[in-house]
């Protein structure tokens, strides 16, 4: 038991990941000047281990090595050991992950790095077993080899570390060049060529949701009318739902699928995946009006509000894959267990639809899934669908009595920004005010708990402590959330705050020499390099989202300087975009936005009567990704957006204007007129 063990320095931290290692026999430091000063004084290399609290292989390496007395004794004698939570310090993770990928060709967590006392990397890898296994060097062997090199060939090690800095600095050189005309088509063709036409998704196992790629394809479909783009999105959305990636009993999506069918997930659930998937399913619902997509937005929101929301309103970060010492235990079922809970008649139906067998489909147990079911079958039989959901409620009540996976309950500004955007958008699309209220509560939590006295953002809040100067994605994602909140509520406070944080973002992160935005700001710790991220990984990059929100703000406020900055981002990374367009899908959809003329619907209704509300409701039912909806309802909004003075309510009636950059259609006074005008404009 941990209570019987001696704690190390990490016991004083708030990070759930660092606290998981607080009773290791390793003499851990957090990332600090103290640790590097100690390394210099004792002439030792630094052993840096980076991970996060819901990381399965991080748990494995801890159990095998960091809880092992032999390993700890060697580390304590020959190294200064530092633990970093990648979710709290994405800057550290980004720099050393880039190095790992360059020198090994791959990356992942736990990230294992050896540094000189001046923070320069000399070797990197990911997970290592304690002893050599399956051709993978053992951790003890690695520790001994590197310590020996430092002792016998220190000059050579230092020279190699100097070269590593050159490598990292070259990675941050982004050339400017003319963008290719066929970028959109090139990205589309990549997705088309790598599409799995049987199960959806792109490539083979493991499969990640990558919802921002699907958002790009939806806009490509809107722009070109290419039906296959929509078909790829729908096949993927249905595939992710039908398999085990979606938790059919308790809802929410897991981080990725280990197999091609989306059947066996890596069971951890991340806030950011669920946020981006909520947005994508909301958009698919707007296009297709399929009940399945609406239901999945509702169910995912139910999971987030029920299981991932702090009592004060902020959103927690993640849930682990492991419980009771094994991966997925909380989510797996025996056939007899289901029969006992549901009874003979209901269990027969459930077992048939959710593919429950005596043999099981994972570790001799069952992951409920709908892989053998046609979606139309459930969609057409509302009674059956409802009955199956009642059965899932009963199973969930039983599952709640199991040992739950660890929850990482820290509240990250960046990830909260994404979920605020998702909840606000979903609430607007589904006409569900409870979701909008959830987004509002989360935002005011961030505003209250994660804001400095100077008005800047912190990165993380937990147990009364806000820590670390905010990174770029904290600002970009929060501005995104505020813009979605404004469109969902027309509360001008959200628009004012979006502008404030966008301005702070530009002040703190803009590169005035080369363009684009740095990952960390002027007030943050200076690292060995100052990275800029533009490649879309599990989430859209900070520069991609910055470009997107700046274009939206420019169109909304008619401020050209915001669009100039957005175009500066695209220009700064033009060579990167040209090389691999598909890897910059969110930046491309921002570029699409900047090129569209059809961009404003202004409803002038100073009392916002029934006609005004019906117009807003109609616009919220349309998939118009390049269009802003603005409610011209009072003097306050006209002060913020002066051009609204030209779009008055006429003859005391609600008046709608459908406008491009250059011209507006004839104003209309009723819903029928708005429907006709929108139809003409988008034809």
């Amino acid at each position: 038991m941990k209570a019987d063990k001696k704690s190390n320095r990490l016991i004083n931290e708030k990070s759930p990941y660092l606290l998981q290692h607080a009773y290791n026999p390793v003499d851990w430091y957090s990332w600090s000047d103290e640790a590097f000063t100690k390394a210099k004084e004792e002439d030792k290399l630094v052993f840096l281990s980076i991970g996060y609290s819901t990381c399965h292989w991080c748990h494995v390496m801890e159990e095998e090595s960091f809880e092992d007395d032999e390993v700890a004794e060697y580390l304590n004698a020959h190294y200064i050991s530092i633990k970093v939570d990648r979710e709290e310090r994405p800057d550290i993770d980004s720099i050393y992950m880039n190095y790992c990928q360059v020198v090994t060709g791959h990356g992942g967590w736990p990230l294992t790095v050896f540094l000189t006392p001046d923070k320069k990397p000399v070797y990197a890898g990911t997970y290592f077993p304690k002893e050599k296994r399956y051709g993978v060097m053992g951790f003890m062997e690695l520790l001994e080899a590197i310590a020996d090199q430092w002792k016998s060939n220190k000059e050579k090690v230092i020279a190699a570390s100097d070269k590593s800095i050159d490598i990292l600095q070259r990675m941050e050189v982004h050339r400017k060049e003319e963008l290719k005309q066929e970028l959109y088509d090139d990205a589309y063709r990549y997705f088309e060529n790598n599409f799995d036409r049987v199960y959806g998704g792109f490539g083979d196992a493991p499969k990640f949701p990558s919802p921002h790629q699907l958002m790009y394809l939806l806009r490509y479909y809107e722009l070109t009318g290419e039906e296959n783009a929509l078909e790829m999105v729908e096949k993927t959305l249905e595939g992710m739902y039908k398999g085990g990636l979606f938790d059919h009993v308790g809802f929410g999506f897991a981080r990725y699928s280990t197999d091609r069918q989306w059947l066996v997930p890596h069971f951890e659930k991340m806030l950011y995946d669920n946020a981006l998937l909520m947005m994508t399913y909301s958009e698919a619902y707007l296009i297709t009006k399929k009940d399945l997509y609406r239901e999945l937005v509702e169910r995912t929101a139910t999971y987030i509000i029920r299981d991932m929301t702090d009592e004060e309103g902020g959103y927690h970060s993640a849930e682990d894959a492991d419980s009771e010492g094994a991966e997925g235990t909380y989510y797996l079922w025996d056939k007899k267990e289901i029969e006992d809970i549901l009874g003979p008649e209901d269990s027969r139906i459930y077992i048939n639809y959710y593919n429950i067998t005596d043999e099981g489909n994972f570790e001799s147990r069952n992951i409920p899934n709908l892989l053998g079911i046609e979606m139309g079958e459930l969609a057409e039989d509302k009674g059956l669908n409802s009955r199956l959901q009642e059965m899932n409620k009963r199973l969930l009540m039983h599952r709640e009595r199991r040992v739950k996976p660890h929850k990482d309950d820290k509240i990250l500004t960046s990830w909260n920004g994404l979920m605020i955007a998702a909840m606000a958008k979903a609430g607007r699309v589904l006409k569900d005010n409870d979701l909008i209220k959830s987004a509002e509560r989360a935002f005011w939590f961030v505003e209250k708990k994660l804001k400095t006295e100077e008005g800047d953002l912190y990165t993380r809040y937990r147990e009364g402590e806000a820590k670390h100067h905010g990174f770029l994605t904290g600002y970009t994602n929060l501005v995104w959330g505020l813009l979605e909140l404004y469109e969902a509520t027309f509360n001008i406070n959200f628009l004012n705050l979006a502008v404030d944080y966008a301005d702070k973002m530009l002040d703190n992160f803009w590169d005035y020499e080369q363009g684009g935005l740095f990952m960390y700001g002027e007030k943050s710790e200076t690292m060995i390099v100052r990275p800029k991220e533009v490649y879309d990984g599990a989430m859209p990059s900070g520069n991609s989202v910055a470009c997107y929100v700046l274009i939206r703000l420019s169109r909304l406020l008619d401020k050209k300087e915001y669009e100039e900055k957005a175009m500066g981002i695209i220009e700064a990374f033009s060579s990167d975009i040209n090389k691999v367009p598909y890897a910059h899908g969110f930046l491309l959809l921002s570029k699409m936005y900047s090129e569209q003329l059809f961009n404003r619907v202004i409803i002038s209704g100073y009392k916002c009567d029934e006609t005004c509300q019906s117009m807003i409701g109609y616009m919220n039912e349309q998939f118009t990704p390049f269009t802003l909806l603005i409610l011209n309802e009072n003097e306050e909004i006209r002060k913020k957006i002066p051009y609204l003075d030209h779009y008055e309510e006429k003859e005391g009636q609600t008046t709608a204007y459908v406008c491009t950059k250059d011209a507006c259609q004839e104003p209309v006074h009723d819903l029928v007129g708005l429907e006709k005008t929108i139809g003409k404009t988008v034809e």
Side-chain angles (χ1 to χ4, degrees):
M1 295 292 292
K2 286 188 176 180
D4 300 326
K5 297 179 180 180
K6 183 181 178 182
S7 63
N8 56 50
R9 291 176 191 79
L10 301 185
I11 197 67
N12 299 313
E13 299 293 327
K14 296 292 186 183
S15 158
Y17 178 62
L18 300 189
L19 288 169
Q20 285 173 350
H21 295 78
Y23 290 91
N24 296 165
V26 176
D27 188 18
W28 290 114
Y29 288 80
S30 61
W31 182 274
S32 60
D33 290 339
E34 179 189 6
F36 288 101
T37 299
K38 184 84 169 172
K40 288 177 182 177
E41 290 173 350
E42 298 187 5
D43 192 25
K44 291 178 179 178
L45 287 174
V46 169
F47 167 65
L48 172 63
S49 179
I50 303 176
Y52 57 102
S53 77
T54 58
C55 164
H56 171 72
W57 289 103
C58 300
H59 301 330
V60 174
M61 193 163 177
E62 178 189 18
E63 183 179 341
E64 291 178 347
S65 294
F66 303 143
E67 292 181 349
D68 183 90
D69 289 332
E70 181 187 12
V71 173
E73 184 179 353
Y74 196 89
L75 274 170
N76 295 343
H78 296 88
Y79 295 91
I80 301 300
S81 300
I82 295 177
K83 262 287 170 194
V84 166
D85 183 337
R86 66 172 294 260
E87 294 167 354
E88 292 195 357
R89 292 299 304 267
D91 52 340
I92 298 171
D93 180 61
S94 174
I95 291 166
Y96 296 113
M97 182 61 77
N98 284 342
Y99 171 75
C100 180
Q101 289 172 331
V102 167
V103 298
T104 70
H106 67 276
W109 298 277
L111 177 59
T112 299
V113 194
F114 294 85
L115 310 177
T116 64
D118 53 2
K119 305 177 184 177
K120 297 176 182 178
V122 298
Y123 186 83
T126 53
Y127 161 76
F128 291 92
K130 181 188 174 186
E131 307 294 344
K132 184 175 181 179
R133 189 192 311 156
Y134 308 125
V136 178
M137 178 184 282
F139 188 52
M140 280 298 298
E141 181 185 0
L142 178 66
L143 290 176
E144 291 167 359
I146 292 179
D148 181 65
Q149 283 292 309
W150 182 248
K151 184 177 180 180
S152 60
N153 290 300
K154 187 181 298 182
E155 293 78 9
K156 186 177 179 181
V157 173
I158 291 173
S161 74
D162 289 337
K163 287 182 180 179
S164 73
I165 297 299
D166 292 338
I167 292 170
L168 290 171
Q169 288 175 340
R170 285 199 300 270
M171 290 176 69
E172 296 307 320
V173 176
H174 303 274
R175 291 187 301 106
K176 299 177 183 180
E177 60 189 37
E178 187 175 348
L179 286 170
K180 296 177 182 176
Q181 293 294 316
E182 60 275 13
L183 283 174
Y184 302 147
D185 294 336
D186 284 352
Y188 166 73
R189 280 191 290 270
Y190 172 85
F191 293 124
E192 184 180 43
N193 292 337
N194 287 272
F195 181 61
D196 183 340
R197 300 197 176 279
V198 179
Y199 297 106
F202 305 99
D204 208 337
K207 280 185 177 175
F208 289 80
S210 301
H212 43 289
Q213 295 179 347
L214 304 180
M215 293 171 76
Y216 169 78
L217 286 171
L218 289 177
R219 283 154 182 78
Y220 185 84
Y221 164 74
E222 177 72 10
L223 197 65
T224 66
E226 176 55 67
E227 291 287 342
N228 190 47
L230 178 59
E231 289 168 9
M232 287 193 289
V233 172
E234 288 208 73
K235 184 73 175 179
T236 302
L237 293 178
E238 289 183 7
M240 289 191 293
Y241 165 64
K242 289 169 71 172
L245 190 82
F246 181 73
D247 177 3
H248 292 274
V249 174
F251 309 153
F253 288 87
R255 180 166 166 246
Y256 66 87
S257 173
T258 63
D259 66 299
R260 180 187 170 197
Q261 301 179 73
W262 304 103
L263 172 61
V264 180
H266 183 44
F267 290 89
E268 64 182 318
K269 295 177 181 176
M270 313 301 289
L271 184 70
Y272 62 79
D273 282 321
N274 284 279
L276 291 163
L277 284 165
M278 279 179 65
M279 285 192 256
T280 309
Y281 279 102
S282 294
E283 293 185 350
Y285 173 68
L286 286 177
I287 294 171
T288 67
K289 298 298 188 285
K290 289 184 178 179
D291 286 340
L292 172 64
Y293 303 148
R294 174 183 53 78
E295 289 168 4
L296 280 168
V297 176
E298 292 170 343
R299 292 173 194 172
T300 306
T302 295
Y303 160 68
I304 295 298
I305 292 170
R306 182 192 67 219
D307 292 347
M308 298 296 286
T309 302
D310 185 84
E311 61 183 13
E312 294 186 73
Y315 300 119
H316 296 154
S317 294
E319 287 192 306
D320 209 329
D322 298 10
S323 58
E324 301 182 73
E327 184 177 6
T329 302
Y330 181 72
Y331 299 99
L332 302 174
W333 300 88
D334 297 317
K335 183 179 176 183
K336 187 177 184 307
E337 186 181 20
I338 288 175
E339 290 172 335
D340 291 343
I341 296 166
L342 297 181
E345 185 177 350
D346 279 354
S347 65
R348 178 182 57 79
I349 296 171
Y350 193 91
I351 285 167
N352 177 53
Y353 275 91
Y354 284 99
N355 293 310
I356 308 299
T357 65
D358 291 316
E359 300 79 17
N361 51 35
F362 179 73
E363 304 289 347
S364 301
R365 302 185 73 197
N366 289 278
I367 302 168
N369 68 88
L370 293 165
L371 285 172
I373 304 299
E374 291 296 326
M375 286 296 96
E377 185 177 340
L378 285 179
E380 291 168 9
D381 193 337
K382 302 292 185 186
L384 174 61
N385 193 6
S386 178
R387 187 173 181 180
L388 288 170
Q389 291 314 308
E390 283 301 317
M391 295 181 205
N392 278 319
K393 286 181 182 178
R394 289 155 63 191
L395 292 176
L396 179 62
M397 289 177 63
H398 179 85
R399 197 176 78 178
E400 290 282 328
R401 296 196 287 269
R402 297 176 178 174
V403 176
K404 289 188 174 184
H406 158 73
K407 182 191 292 184
D408 187 329
D409 61 357
K410 69 176 178 288
I411 295 168
L412 295 168
T413 304
S414 172
W415 297 7
N416 270 250
L418 288 178
M419 187 54 77
I420 289 165
M423 285 285 185
K425 183 168 193 162
R428 177 169 59 84
V429 169
L430 304 185
K431 298 180 173 61
D432 187 334
N433 199 49
D434 287 342
L435 304 189
I436 297 171
K437 291 295 183 186
S438 175
E440 290 180 308
R441 286 187 71 221
F443 170 71
W444 292 117
F445 179 96
V446 171
E447 187 74 356
K448 180 180 178 182
K449 304 286 190 179
L450 280 150
K451 192 172 184 177
T452 71
E453 291 182 2
E454 296 78 25
D456 298 313
L457 291 171
Y458 286 113
T459 294
R460 180 269 290 155
Y461 176 88
R462 187 171 185 269
E463 292 184 348
E465 180 189 71
K467 194 172 182 181
H468 307 302
H469 287 293
F471 297 99
L472 175 60
T473 55
Y475 287 83
T476 60
N477 293 348
L478 192 62
V479 174
W480 189 0
L482 284 163
L483 287 174
E484 295 294 344
L485 271 173
Y486 172 69
E487 289 202 9
T489 65
F490 297 111
N491 181 338
I492 196 170
N493 289 329
F494 295 131
L495 178 57
N496 288 333
L497 286 160
V499 171
D500 289 347
Y501 283 120
D503 289 343
K504 284 186 177 294
M505 173 189 79
L506 293 171
D507 288 343
N508 290 333
F509 299 93
W510 187 257
D511 180 352
Y512 288 93
E513 293 183 7
Q514 300 296 323
L517 294 146
F518 292 110
M519 186 180 188
Y520 64 83
E522 297 288 348
K523 300 176 183 179
S524 296
E525 175 186 357
T526 301
M527 305 294 291
I528 55 173
V529 293
R530 194 175 180 191
K532 296 177 191 170
E533 293 198 322
V534 67
Y535 169 84
D536 293 334
M539 293 176 280
S541 72
N543 273 284
S544 294
V545 178
C547 185
Y548 178 67
V549 299
L550 287 170
I551 289 169
R552 285 180 67 173
L553 279 171
S554 174
R555 296 293 172 85
L556 184 60
L557 303 172
D558 202 23
K559 281 196 170 185
K560 292 181 180 178
E561 54 265 39
Y562 286 144
E563 188 148 1
E564 287 170 358
K565 281 290 193 288
M567 294 302 98
I569 292 171
I570 293 172
E571 182 185 11
F573 302 107
S574 51
S575 65
D576 303 77
I577 300 168
N578 278 338
K579 285 177 187 173
V580 277
Y582 71 87
H584 302 86
F586 207 83
L587 202 55
L588 289 185
L589 72 81
S590 303
K591 184 173 181 292
M592 284 181 182
Y593 200 154
S594 72
E595 294 167 352
Q596 303 312 302
L597 293 176
F598 175 43
N599 60 4
R600 289 185 192 134
V601 174
I602 301 164
I603 298 174
S604 295
Y606 303 155
K607 294 181 180 178
C608 203
D609 56 14
E610 187 175 334
T611 299
C612 171
Q613 292 294 337
S614 69
M615 288 178 170
I616 293 171
Y618 168 75
M619 289 304 304
N620 287 339
E621 293 169 356
Q622 312 307 307
F623 181 64
T624 52
F626 310 120
T627 299
L628 289 167
L629 176 63
I630 304 167
L631 179 60
N632 182 13
E633 60 178 337
N634 54 42
E635 197 61 37
E636 191 176 8
I637 191 65
R638 288 189 286 280
K639 285 182 180 177
K640 188 70 179 179
I641 309 176
Y643 67 77
L644 291 180
D645 284 338
H646 303 294
Y647 303 96
E648 298 177 343
E649 179 183 275
K650 292 185 178 296
E651 301 172 3
Q653 298 180 68
T654 293
T655 307
Y657 301 83
V658 178
C659 302
T660 67
K661 276 183 181 176
D662 304 318
C664 293
Q665 304 292 315
E666 280 292 318
V668 295
H669 300 287
D670 55 33
L671 181 57
V672 173
L674 178 60
E675 290 174 347
K676 288 180 179 177
T677 307
I678 292 290
K680 288 177 184 176
T681 310
V682 298
E683 280 176 0

